[in-house]
Amino acid sequence: MKMPLLIRIFVVFAHSVPFLEGCKSKPSTTTTPSTTTTTRTTTTTVYSPTFASDPRTFVVNEGNNITLPCYVDDLGGLQIIWERANKTLAVGDTVYQEDGNRVQVQNRENGSTIVIREAEEKDAGEYVCKVSAAELKHTVKIIVRPEVEPVPKSGLVTVKEGEPATLACNITRGNNKPYINWELESGYPIFWFEDIYTIPEAGRWSSGVYRCKANNGWPEPATAEIRLEVQHVPTLSLTPSLGYSHYWTELILICSVTAFPLATVEWYKDGQMMEVEEDVTTRFVQVTHRLHLKEMGQGYRNDNETWVLEQDRLGLYECRARNMMGEASGGMEIISSCDFFGQVRCFKRVNKIEKLVPA
């Protein structure tokens, strides 16, 4: 009665274990069902407006305001982002810069304008306006006010006549490599491009004020002034002037002296120094000394047809000018009488003398 049950158990076990033939096993075969997977991709389109503003390069003077526009055809509720050097300047109405007190954003219906007050050199660069995936780029260049100083800083160059004179200036501020030119005090141009100007052999006529100008596009060029003083022996000219009254004749000797350093002027009569009071006027580098010799003789109300000069007034009158560089002199010899109608002169010039002080 129990055998059928044992047989059924054996049969079930036999179906789950492979049969052995001696020492070999017989492999079994397993079938795996195949599976097919379907993937669906959804594409989202991002709205990007069209810019109504064009990219531009703005050249701004230091201290002025930078104004950059960014407008589109339809903002569509999007926010405008301003960036510079990969840093956010502003998003919408909010400014994110540390010096935000200089930055202001003015929003409109379809765009905005960013304003940077009192432009500094560091504000130069590229500014990016972003609206969604679209970008507009502006370039800003800052012109820095130039400054220039004379070399030497005193602005004074002194040389002796015949020596070379070198004038120079130094640019201490300004960008874009300022353009340099030299001119005289009158504005007459004399030299370009270099910051050093050399006169190979300075003459007395070279003395004066020279201007070095630096221009980098700023409204007014920077200017440095240098005064060149050329030391030289005095030069002079001596001219007479006669003045007549009813009763006496006056002789005025006019001695015009040009010298640097300034010359000391003395008057001599027949080789003897005179103690006189002279009338001195200065015009630029020329100093004029006037010696008034009154009562030289009779006036034109006399019985003679000539003006007769007093005997003790006759002789050689000299103007002598001297400085550290040398000495110059000029003379006027007074003779006895002058014709009433001026046909005969009562004086004659003596050749002027110039001599250098020994080195």
Side-chain angles (χ1 to χ4, degrees), residues 99-112:
D99 54 352
N101 59 326
R102 291 198 304 125
V103 181
Q104 180 184 5
V105 176
Q106 301 171 352
N107 288 313
R108 299 291 186 269
E109 180 180 356
N110 286 315
S112 77

Side-chain angles (χ1 to χ4, degrees), residues 299-318:
Y300 59 79
R301 280 194 174 182
N302 61 75
D303 296 334
N304 300 323
E305 293 183 354
T306 60
W307 284 288
V308 178
L309 302 181
E310 299 294 338
Q311 190 68 28
D312 61 350
R313 298 290 194 270
L314 305 181
L316 176 63
Y317 290 83
E318 287 182 89

